Every structure is written in structure tokens, then in C-alpha cells.
Amino acid sequence: MTTPPVLLERRGAVAIVTLNVPQTRNALDGEPMYAALEEIARSLNADDSVGAVVLTGAGPAFSAGGNVKAMRDKAGMFGGRAAEVFANYRRGIQRVTRAIVSLEMPVIAAVNGPAVGAGCDLACFCDIRIAGERATFAESFVALGIIAGDGGAWILPRLIGHQAAAVLSFTGDAIDATTALRLGLVWQVVADADLHATAEALAERIASRSSYAVRATKRLMRIGAELSLPALLDVAASFQAIAHETPEHARALDAFFTAKNTRG
């Protein structure tokens, strides 16, 4: 029986997605992985009972990014002339970026070890990052004489600012979890043994809120980065009009006034 490259588990309203190729340090490589992540994203988006997602890696690494051996051998998505490699990126590793970005509910990266190259960018495209103490991050493309072909140059400056992103991207140097916390790349650093419990506890808190409100808030934050304030206010008003009609809003108001009356 073939081991699936990505595992999906449900724990109540929280989905746990695990990159499951520890022998390659969870390299983001091959049609089975790309297709699995796309299918998982589609299935989760279609399920209103999913309130949050935790993304992590099996074994000692979060993700080693691209398959460097395949790069050396000009194999897989790295085979062919420049025009073919261009097409291969769009049909290959960029599908990982699109799958993660397409998720409508919040995604928490539980970074359990090295997040390198495209693995670093994968963590960056999640909404929140929590790192174990032995986690490291490296925007390492220039060290191999290449660039971030998966969208890293778009997301990293938005997370930590142009200057810090420039240093990491131009040197390819790795940083430890403490430095990532200082730069704002991660929300929290915890003991390795506590990583998954911490990430899942945060996911459960998020998932306990109104599914519509959380998904709409995520969408508003994402599109807000590309809109003017007047345009964003119009979108916010339309989302809010729907929110006021949801049963979750009605229940939340009842709970608020019940608690207030109890306190006197």
C-alpha cells in the first residue's frame, strides 16, 4: 500500500494537514503531493464545519522545499528548456501556493523543524506561524543560484518588511526560531514537545467562532491588501450585511446579553 504524501485528520472543527514524506524532509515535489494538497483544499473549503487548519510536517522537518536532487539531475519539473521549466513551475510547485492560499478558513503552520526555500514560503502563506524551538527558516534560493519561483518574493516582504525580507532573500541565510519571532515571521515559539498542542489549541479557539465571520474576515484581510480604503469599506459593508443575518450572530448576541445580565 502506497503511503499518501499528505495526511488529513479531523479533530472536531479543526483539520490537521501533515506533509508526509519524511524521507525527503517533506520536499514539495511530484504530482501526488500537488494533487493531494489541491484535493484537500477543495474538500475543506466545501465543508462549513471546518473552522481552522493546522499544517505541519512529518518527521524532523517542516519542509525542505524543492527537490534539490531533481534540480541537479534536470528531472521532473526541472527538466527541459527554459520554456518547459516555466510551464512546469505553473503546473508544479506553484499549485502548492495556490492550494494553500485558496483555503477559506485560517491556516496555522506548526513549524516543527527546518522550513527551507519553498518550505519557508509555504509556512509564510499560512495565516499564522507557531514554531518549535528547533525550527529554522531559510529563504535559501540564491544559495542554489535560483529565485523564489513559488511566490516568496510577494509574501515575505508583506510579513516582515522589505529590509528584513531583502537580507534573508539576498543572502539565503537561515534564521532560528527566536530570530523569526523577533522579525515577526512567527507568532509564538514554544517547546518542541508543546508545538502541536499549542497550534491545535489556537485552532480550536478560532474554530469556536462563527464560521462565516472568520472566513469573511480572512477574505477581507487578503483582498484588503490590494484595495484602496474606500473600496475596502464597500466590501466590508457587504460582508457585514450578510453577517448580521447569520444564526451565529444571533446566538452571539444572546450569549452576550445573558452574560451581561448574569453579571448584573
Side-chain angles (χ1 to χ4, degrees), residues 128-131 180-181 184-189 202 205:
I128 301 166
R129 285 153 297 284
I130 298 176
L181 180 65
L185 184 60
V186 302
W187 171 249
Q188 190 177 7
V189 177
L202 178 57
R205 283 168 52 202

Side-chain angles (χ1 to χ4, degrees), residues 2-180:
T2 303
T3 302
V6 187
L7 302 177
L8 173 62
E9 303 172 68
R10 282 293 299 273
R11 296 177 189 169
V14 175
I16 312 295
V17 177
T18 305
L19 305 176
N20 188 42
V21 198
Q23 63 270 27
T24 66
R25 291 160 56 90
N26 301 315
L28 303 173
D29 179 52
E31 178 62 24
M33 175 170 281
Y34 306 147
L37 286 168
E38 288 175 328
E39 177 53 34
I40 285 171
R42 281 192 293 267
S43 67
L44 294 179
N45 284 338
D47 188 346
D48 289 339
S49 71
V50 180
V53 175
V54 175
L55 175 67
T56 193
F62 178 75
S63 174
N67 188 325
V68 180
K69 184 177 183 296
M71 290 182 199
R72 181 198 64 190
D73 298 340
K74 303 292 185 184
M77 63 176 285
F78 308 109
R81 300 181 66 83
E84 294 171 278
V85 175
F86 169 83
N88 290 342
Y89 265 83
R90 293 178 60 81
R91 291 192 295 255
I93 203 164
Q94 289 183 358
R95 290 162 61 191
V96 175
T97 302
R98 293 189 184 98
I100 295 302
V101 171
S102 76
L103 285 164
E104 297 172 2
M105 67 293 297
V107 184
I108 301 169
V111 185
N112 55 301
V116 180
C120 179
D121 293 341
L122 175 62
C124 288
F125 276 109
C126 296
D127 299 289
I128 301 166
R129 285 153 297 284
I130 298 176
E133 290 174 325
R134 61 185 180 83
T136 58
F137 300 82
E139 192 72 354
S140 57
F141 300 95
V142 295
L144 294 174
I146 57 175
I147 57 94
D150 59 347
W154 185 90
I155 189 63
L156 192 59
R158 283 168 165 79
L159 292 179
I160 61 176
H162 177 84
Q163 182 169 251
V167 171
L168 297 185
S169 300
F170 297 164
T171 65
D173 291 345
I175 57 172
D176 60 18
T178 301
T179 303

Side-chain angles (χ1 to χ4, degrees), residues 244 248-264:
H244 279 287
E248 291 91 346
H249 174 59
R251 287 195 294 269
L253 286 176
D254 287 343
F256 174 84
F257 284 105
T258 298
K260 184 177 180 181
N261 292 334
T262 301
R263 292 195 300 268

